[in-house]
Amino acid sequence: MSERYDLTVIGAGPGGYVAALRAAQLGLRVACVELEKKLGGTCLRIGCIPSKALLEASERYAEAKHGLADMGIDVQGVNLNLGKMLEKKNTIVGSLTGGVDFLFKKNKVDRFLGRGRIVAAGKVRVESEAGNQEIETDKILIATGSKSAPLAGVELDGDRVGTSTEALSYPEVPGHLVVIGAGVIGLELGSVWARLGSRVTVFEYLDRILPGMDTDIAKEAQRLFKKQGFDFKLASRVVGARTRAGGAVVEVEGADPIPCDRVLLAVGRIPNTDGLGVDEIGIEMGKRGTIVVDEHFASSVAGIYAIGDVIKGPMLAHKAAEEGIACVEYLVTGYGHVNYDAIPSVVYTHPEIASVGKTEAELEEQGIPYNKGVFPFLANGRAKALHSTDGRVKMLAHAETDRVLGVHIIGPRAGDLIAEAAVAMEFGASAEDVARACHAHPTLAEAVKEAALAVDSRAIHV
């Protein structure tokens, strides 16, 4: 049987399903091919959502066990029910993936279960256990996301030595967890298990944590994580990891083997184009397996487009979603744009870390003159009331135009605070614009205002 569609999206992650829904809103007949039974992609099923559920639960557990006494709340008999915690995580995931399924039905997006393979421009084969089916389509949008990057010598067994997928569902709290990679995923999931009682050792090939983040913010984060019990081994090259009886062992260049209970490999992610047929149809590929696209997300083969983790840029769910919307809006209306200078990123550790725009190092490397304003949460009333005063807000503005170029935050609810900075940058605001806007008192957002004032050396409360 052959079906004809205006657009066929391959992949139902945050880029693919959002693009499919927006295309349907714009009047296109849309098909979406997804290999997994649950919609939502890595983000909803085994990434963003389940990890944040565990981060929130583990933070509340740690606060109840260690932090409430300081606030005059005496709590005794706090115990961990890991099974129930994991069950709640799964319930949240199920609710959200089911919500995407509902939205597909509401917007009349036809969902196909199976692996999508591009046979030619305008033709997608859906390969499944039930057999193969071909879809005829005017346009194809590749949104197949990414997968955990391998590391030579690390033998994944899906249990003792695994990726973030396994780390979301350990059946017991590891006595000693070794994390390979000090990026976002490693630090977030390392935080979960550290709060629940694991001894966590983090090996990182570079001489710093959080590569790509503002250097000052990363240094402060490392200091705070050490206070939380993280043991960092920087400038360390892991050359092997494998299971052994009842646990695992990690091999590091120039050091003795490190025995542990479990290993989390978190050295980044790579584009997921396996079995997609991109090589056979001649799509131009770029560095690290990305699909080369133009400013409107068109690949080198007419009628085939790509967004999200399979193209260049940060591998972020919200970046993929914005690209999906921009792509389909361009196809229908002739206009679609993503401002890559205003895409925020967040690390959901405690404290949270958030960033948007240029770092100091990038501005210096590009020779852009700038002024800097910094304000500590220690001087913020709301942060004191929350008993969460670690961290700061840093704002970078052009020295001549005062336009905001970057904002970097480590502190309470940084992931929410960064939205103001992203909106300000999207509208081309100056630091003066942010400083003049009235911020409610007492709120954490006042720290953003004070950092903007500090750009001109006139912060009030420090």
Side-chain angles (χ1 to χ4, degrees):
M1 182 179 68
S2 179
E3 299 282 353
R4 183 78 190 181
Y5 291 89
D6 298 314
L7 174 68
T8 296
V9 182
I10 305 177
Y17 86 72
V18 168
L21 291 172
R22 183 64 184 129
Q25 288 177 346
L26 291 168
L28 299 186
R29 187 179 183 214
V30 184
C32 185
V33 183
E34 170 57 48
L35 177 63
E36 302 291 338
K37 291 182 179 179
K38 290 184 177 180
L39 300 172
T42 294
C43 180
L44 265 64
R45 294 185 304 103
I46 52 171
C48 317
I49 299 303
S51 64
K52 276 54 188 180
L54 288 181
L55 281 159
E56 182 67 25
S58 63
E59 187 173 335
R60 292 192 187 190
Y61 170 75
E63 184 178 26
K65 197 169 182 68
H66 307 293
L68 292 180
D70 189 48
M71 300 176 72
I73 305 171
D74 294 327
V75 180
Q76 296 180 4
V78 177
N79 296 304
L80 173 65
N81 186 333
L82 181 59
K84 191 168 185 177
M85 186 180 289
L86 296 177
E87 181 183 340
K88 181 63 175 178
K89 172 208 67 174
N90 293 337
T91 299
I92 294 169
V93 170
S95 173
L96 290 171
T97 57
V100 177
D101 190 58
F102 166 78
L103 291 172
F104 270 18
K105 292 174 182 175
K106 176 185 175 183
N107 290 275
K108 296 181 174 56
V109 174
D110 289 343
R111 187 261 167 95
F112 290 82
L113 176 62
R115 180 180 297 279
R117 184 178 184 85
I118 304 173
V119 180
K123 187 172 290 187
V124 174
R125 180 186 300 140
V126 182
E127 301 172 346
S128 69
E129 294 178 359
N132 296 341
Q133 181 178 359
E134 286 195 350
I135 301 172
E136 293 185 1
T137 183
D138 291 339
K139 301 287 192 299
I140 297 170
L141 176 58
I142 299 171
T144 47
S146 61
K147 59 184 178 181
S148 296
L151 184 65
V154 175
E155 302 173 10
L156 299 175
D157 74 333
D159 181 22
R160 292 291 173 175
V161 181
T163 65
S164 57
T165 301
E166 289 75 30
L168 291 168
S169 301
Y170 291 153
E172 73 283 323
V173 177
H176 182 198
L177 172 65
V178 168
V179 179
I180 305 173
V184 176
I185 296 172
L187 294 177
E188 286 188 350
L189 290 175
S191 291
V192 167
W193 296 106
R195 293 171 193 160
L196 299 181
S198 292
R199 177 165 67 94
V200 177
T201 303
V202 182
F203 287 93
E204 170 56 50
Y205 180 73
L206 301 177
D207 61 358
R208 56 163 292 175
I209 71 170
L210 295 170
M213 279 272 182
D214 181 87
T215 303
D216 290 342
I217 298 296
K219 286 180 179 178
E220 183 158 1
Q222 183 178 337
R223 179 181 64 81
L224 294 173
F225 294 152
K226 281 184 176 180
K227 288 175 62 178
Q228 295 172 19
F230 278 71
D231 182 15
F232 288 103
K233 306 293 185 183
L234 305 181
S236 299
R237 182 170 178 259
V238 173
V239 295
R242 64 184 184 279
T243 58
R244 69 175 192 178
V249 63
V250 177
E251 298 167 348
V252 180
E253 191 174 71
D256 293 331
I258 298 95
C260 60
D261 294 285
R262 292 186 184 275
V263 178
L264 164 58
L265 177 64
V267 292
R269 299 182 65 81
I270 56 176
N272 186 17
T273 56
D274 295 346
L276 192 58
V278 290
D279 293 330
E280 290 85 343
I281 63 173
I283 290 180
E284 182 183 354
M285 305 298 287
K287 296 179 180 179
R288 300 174 184 171
T290 57
I291 295 173
V292 176
V293 296
D294 65 13
E295 67 272 22
H296 298 302
F297 310 103
S299 76
S300 58
V301 176
I304 300 178
Y305 301 78
I307 60 166
D309 291 1
V310 295
I311 67 173
K312 67 178 182 179
M315 291 183 172
L316 299 169
H318 44 282
K319 177 245 191 193
E322 293 299 322
E323 289 175 338
I325 290 174
C327 179
V328 298
E329 287 186 347
Y330 177 78
L331 293 179
V332 176
T333 70
Y335 179 79
H337 174 69
V338 176
N339 180 4
Y340 289 100
D341 291 328
I343 295 179
S345 61
V346 184
V347 188
Y348 293 89
T349 49
H350 182 75
E352 291 182 352
I353 306 163
S355 176
V356 63
K358 302 290 188 183
T359 65
E360 277 197 81
E362 288 172 332
L363 293 175
E364 290 170 0
E365 182 180 344
Q366 295 169 22
I368 299 172
Y370 67 93
N371 293 322
K372 175 172 64 175
V374 179
F375 188 81
F377 281 104
L378 186 63
N380 176 265
R382 179 64 171 155
K384 283 185 176 292
L386 290 171
H387 292 247
S388 186
T389 55
D390 286 327
R392 69 184 88 165
V393 179
K394 176 195 282 192
M395 182 173 290
L396 307 171
H398 198 287
E400 298 167 1
T401 66
D402 196 40
R403 186 169 183 167
V404 179
L405 301 175
V407 177
H408 310 278
I409 307 172
I410 179 170
R413 299 173 191 171
D416 296 315
L417 295 176
I418 203 66
E420 176 182 358
V423 171
M425 292 179 62
E426 186 67 40
F427 282 87
S430 64
E432 179 74 7
D433 290 329
V434 177
R436 291 291 179 185
C438 184
H439 289 61
H441 174 76
T443 61
L444 296 171
E446 289 178 288
V448 179
K449 175 186 175 77
E450 290 273 9
L453 286 165
V455 169
D456 193 37
S457 303
R458 64 181 204 271
I460 300 297
H461 292 96
V462 68

